[in-house]
């Protein structure tokens, strides 16, 4: 039996735009995702988050479901345009929703883990100055973060400044797959820099508060790169992919620098980096209390003449989820070992891990998602084994509590351990929720 320590946190994750709905209630103004999702062609099935899982109205029911599973912590994000629906205008009604949610969690003994930015920038900010392209975004983010710290203070045990800066910058500004839908690599790097600077500014502001036992960190999406062959070209291509995907975010946060060889390559076709000012990297690398790791899959990579960075993704042979992501728990193991060796000794939390499959309600009214159970189980085995070797992983959050709007993929991709019938908003435990419940009760896993 692999055991988890008594303080190990078993959690679940969600994010505001993906579940809340009520986009025009409580004084909320639109976010860039409301606008992006309304634009035909951006989201599979033309889905939008107007209602989503109606969590805004059903949060009590959702917290009760969490309590039934027995989870220790709930990771959710705050919708910035609920808090500041207009420039400089604080909206107490928006904050009230999160206070009520945290209150409900605390009644059930569930800790609140709050992400400040999970991609839904207020549209006014984007329209006013271009969002993350403008260095002023740091100032606006800091204002928002301070207000949230002040209002929620130590009712929140874990703060996450940003969810996956790589996605908000590259997918948002580089390839246009996410809001606001720009396609410009230079812009992606500018956005990334301002997001990282905002992270530093928020952590600095947080240190000015006298919270007793609240911690702060950032959640990075890390995708280990594996070469498609042993050839020198493929190995170098994998290293460049790693620079593009992982090191571009890890190095500034932990080493106060951008990866030099990537900087050279980028400058070759994007021009000088005048958006990086003296002292920025010191601010970005301010000490975090923990690192959040969002891990789903690895990426196989090969050399290519057809891309600026001279790599392209290759097709691996592991079994896949319906996201077409390979299932490779061993890559999580290697990733954590690498983080420990090359980057940091601060506590790590797996802030997202999970899988989408084609869940169907069976004739017995249940959802038999054995593949998801296997996925979660195999990754949790790695976590427990790593901890036996001293990896200091303090917690694990399943993505996701419930099925959600999976961004550009729409509602079709289901990650939840709880099924949502979007017609009726009925929630149904999948087998994986029952499995998770049992795991939390036992705080241990059989290896076979
Ligand atoms: C991550 C996001 C999360 C969800 C999962 C599947 O990149 O943080 O919102 O979409 O992927």
């Amino acid at each position: 039996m692999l055991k988890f320590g008594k303080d190990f946190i078993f959690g679940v994750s969600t994010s505001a735009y993906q579940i809340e709905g009520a986009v025009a209630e409580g004084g909320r103004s639109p976010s860039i995702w409301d606008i992006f999702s309304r634009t035909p062609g951006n989201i599979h099935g033309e889905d939008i988050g107007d209602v989503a899982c109606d969590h805004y109205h059903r949060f009590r029911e959702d917290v009760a479901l969490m309590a039934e599973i027995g989870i220790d912590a709930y990771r959710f994000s705050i919708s910035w345009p609920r808090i500041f629906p207009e420039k400089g205008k604080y909206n107490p009604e928006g904050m009230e929703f999160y206070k009520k949610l945290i209150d409900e969690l605390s009644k059930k003994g569930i800790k609140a883990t709050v992400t400040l930015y999970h991609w839904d920038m207020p549209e006014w900010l984007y329209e006013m100055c271009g969002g993350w392209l403008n260095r002023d975004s740091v100032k606006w983010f800091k204002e928002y973060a301070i207000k949230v710290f002040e209002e929620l203070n130590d009712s929140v045990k874990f703060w996450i400044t940003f969810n996956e800066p790589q996605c908000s910058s590259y997918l948002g500004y580089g390839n246009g797959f996410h809001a606001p839908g720009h396609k410009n690599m230079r812009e992606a790097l500018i956005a990334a820099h301002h997001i990282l600077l905002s992270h530093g500014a928020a952590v600095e502001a947080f240190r000015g508060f006298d919270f007793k036992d609240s911690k702060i960190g950032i959640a990075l999406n890390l995708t280990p790169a594996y070469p498609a062959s042993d050839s020198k070209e493929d190995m170098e291509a994998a290293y460049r992919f790693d620079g593009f995907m992982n090191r571009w975010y890890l190095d500034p946060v932990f080493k106060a620098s951008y990866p030099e060889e990537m900087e050279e390559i980028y400058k070759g076709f994007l021009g000088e980096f005048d958006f990086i000012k003296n002292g920025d990297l010191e601010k970005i690398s301010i000490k975090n209390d923990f690192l959040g790791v969002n891990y789903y899959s690895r990426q196989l990579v090969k050399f290519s003449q057809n891309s600026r960075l001279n790599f392209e993704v290759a097709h691996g042979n592991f079994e896949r989820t319906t996201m077409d992501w390979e299932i490779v728990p061993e890559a999580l193991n290697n990733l954590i070992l690498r983080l420990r060796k090359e980057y940091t000794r601060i506590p790590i939390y797996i802030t997202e891990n999970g899988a989408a499959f084609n869940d169907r309600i069976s004739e017995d009214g249940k959802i038999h998602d054995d593949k998801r159970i296997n996925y979660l189980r195999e990754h949790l085995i790695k976590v427990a084994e790593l901890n036996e070797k001293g990896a200091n992983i303090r917690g694990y959050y399943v993505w996701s509590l419930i099925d959600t709007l999976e961004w550009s993929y729409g509602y079709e991709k289901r990650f939840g351990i709880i099924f949502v019938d979007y017609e009726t908003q009925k929630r149904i435990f999948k087998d994986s929720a029952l499995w998770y419940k049992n795991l939390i009760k036992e705080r241990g896993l059989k290896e076979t």
Side-chain angles (χ1 to χ4, degrees):
M1 183 83 136
L2 283 163
K3 277 292 193 190
F4 294 91
K6 76 172 182 357
D7 295 328
F8 187 87
I9 287 184
F10 287 103
V12 287
S13 274
T14 64
S15 89
Y17 187 66
Q18 293 181 276
I19 65 165
E20 281 180 4
V23 292
E25 284 179 57
R28 179 190 185 274
S29 67
S31 77
I32 54 174
W33 269 94
D34 294 272
I35 308 301
F36 185 75
S37 58
R38 282 195 153 62
T39 312
N42 281 344
I43 301 212
H44 175 84
E46 310 294 318
D47 289 342
I48 51 174
D50 283 20
V51 178
C53 307
D54 197 28
H55 174 75
Y56 186 81
H57 298 113
R58 292 167 196 265
F59 72 93
R60 290 202 171 82
E61 181 192 338
D62 290 338
V63 173
L65 295 173
M66 292 178 220
E68 206 176 321
I69 299 173
I71 65 151
D72 301 312
Y74 174 44
R75 174 178 174 232
F76 59 95
S77 79
I78 294 195
S79 164
W80 187 352
R82 283 198 193 283
I83 308 303
F84 282 99
E86 283 172 45
K87 179 181 167 186
K89 187 180 158 231
Y90 170 58
N91 175 34
E93 199 186 346
M95 191 68 89
E96 206 39 45
F97 168 68
Y98 298 105
K99 287 185 180 169
K100 282 192 284 185
L101 169 60
I102 292 173
D103 211 43
E104 195 67 20
L105 289 166
S106 105
K107 279 190 214 150
K108 309 274 187 198
I110 300 171
K111 292 186 176 65
T113 298
V114 168
T115 310
L116 288 170
Y117 189 78
H118 203 124
W119 310 350
D120 47 354
M121 169 176 274
E123 176 66 13
W124 63 259
L125 176 50
Y126 170 69
E127 282 178 15
M128 183 177 79
C129 66
W132 298 119
L133 294 181
N134 191 312
R135 201 173 162 98
D136 282 351
S137 54
V138 181
K139 186 180 84 195
W140 295 110
F141 184 76
K142 191 171 167 187
E143 178 201 48
Y144 157 65
I146 289 176
K147 192 67 196 167
V148 181
F149 294 149
E150 270 169 16
E151 293 290 324
L152 302 183
N153 57 62
D154 45 22
S155 66
V156 174
K157 295 301 159 220
F158 299 99
W159 293 96
I160 293 169
T161 54
F162 282 85
N163 180 65
E164 308 188 344
Q166 193 270 344
C167 291
S168 355
S169 54
Y170 178 67
L171 300 181
Y173 290 85
N175 75 357
F177 193 59
H178 279 182
H182 294 205
K183 294 183 182 167
N184 179 317
M185 193 58 202
R186 184 177 166 83
E187 288 190 2
L189 299 183
I190 296 173
H193 188 65
H194 292 149
I195 288 172
L196 291 172
L197 260 183
S198 303
H199 158 72
V203 176
E204 193 197 7
F206 178 83
R207 300 287 180 221
F209 287 82
D210 191 21
F211 296 138
K212 281 192 300 297
D213 58 354
S214 306
K215 307 281 184 212
I216 193 161
I218 188 167
L220 301 179
N221 52 314
L222 300 172
T223 305
Y226 288 74
S229 79
D230 290 343
S231 75
K232 189 162 170 285
E233 286 77 13
D234 285 352
M235 303 224 317
E236 287 173 357
Y239 190 65
R240 278 192 300 279
F241 179 90
D242 178 56
F244 154 81
M245 185 82 201
N246 305 315
R247 284 180 290 121
W248 197 259
Y249 305 88
L250 281 167
D251 285 18
V253 169
F254 291 106
K255 299 181 173 170
S257 62
Y258 283 109
E260 225 174 281
E261 92 290 355
M262 292 307 294
E263 224 177 300
E264 283 311 304
I265 298 173
Y266 283 137
K267 282 179 180 167
F269 65 99
L270 299 175
E272 280 308 302
F273 282 9
D274 50 3
F275 52 89
I276 304 178
K277 311 281 184 218
N278 271 342
D280 282 2
L281 283 147
E282 283 65 41
K283 291 185 183 139
I284 292 172
S285 58
I286 187 168
K287 192 170 180 307
N288 292 299
D289 298 323
F290 65 87
L291 169 66
V293 172
N294 292 1
Y295 172 83
Y296 289 92
S297 187
R298 67 154 192 180
Q299 185 59 61
L300 204 63
V301 182
K302 65 181 181 195
F303 175 80
S304 163
Q305 301 271 18
N306 306 325
S307 85
R308 294 272 199 185
L309 300 181
N310 289 127
F311 65 65
E312 67 184 39
V313 298
H315 193 86
N317 289 325
F318 286 93
E319 198 192 325
R320 285 161 188 269
T321 68
T322 58
M323 297 297 282
D324 208 26
W325 297 345
E326 283 184 293
I327 304 173
V328 194
E330 187 57 26
L332 171 63
N333 176 67
N334 298 342
L335 167 65
I336 300 293
L337 293 178
R338 178 196 189 189
L339 290 172
R340 285 308 185 212
K341 189 158 160 246
E342 294 176 27
Y343 287 98
T344 182
R345 296 299 314 165
I346 60 174
I348 287 178
Y349 290 83
I350 307 298
T351 33
E352 285 182 29
N353 178 241
F357 290 107
N358 283 326
D359 302 314
R360 294 281 171 268
I361 305 180
S362 308
E363 278 167 19
D364 59 6
K366 298 186 174 159
I367 295 128
H368 301 300
D369 58 339
D370 298 359
K371 287 188 175 173
R372 180 172 294 101
I373 295 177
N374 277 340
Y375 180 99
L376 299 175
R377 206 174 154 275
E378 286 178 20
H379 287 82
L380 271 158
I381 287 176
K382 293 296 173 201
V383 170
E385 287 174 350
L386 279 158
N387 274 346
E388 282 184 349
K389 288 181 259 166
N392 195 15
I393 301 169
R394 302 264 180 102
Y396 173 96
Y397 294 76
V398 175
W399 184 274
S400 177
L401 170 70
I402 49 181
D403 294 332
T404 70
L405 174 68
E406 183 43 43
W407 305 110
S408 301
Y409 296 94
Y411 292 105
E412 195 190 62
K413 303 285 184 224
R414 292 179 178 270
F415 274 89
I417 55 173
I418 296 176
F419 186 88
V420 176
D421 175 344
Y422 291 105
E423 297 285 306
T424 61
Q425 289 297 344
K426 193 170 166 211
R427 276 71 162 141
I428 307 169
F429 276 168
K430 301 181 191 176
D431 286 356
S432 56
L434 302 170
W435 171 86
Y436 201 42
K437 175 179 180 171
N438 191 51
L439 162 72
I440 297 172
K441 198 170 99 222
E442 302 217 331
R443 303 195 89 77
L445 267 173
K446 290 198 195 72
E447 272 164 280
T448 47

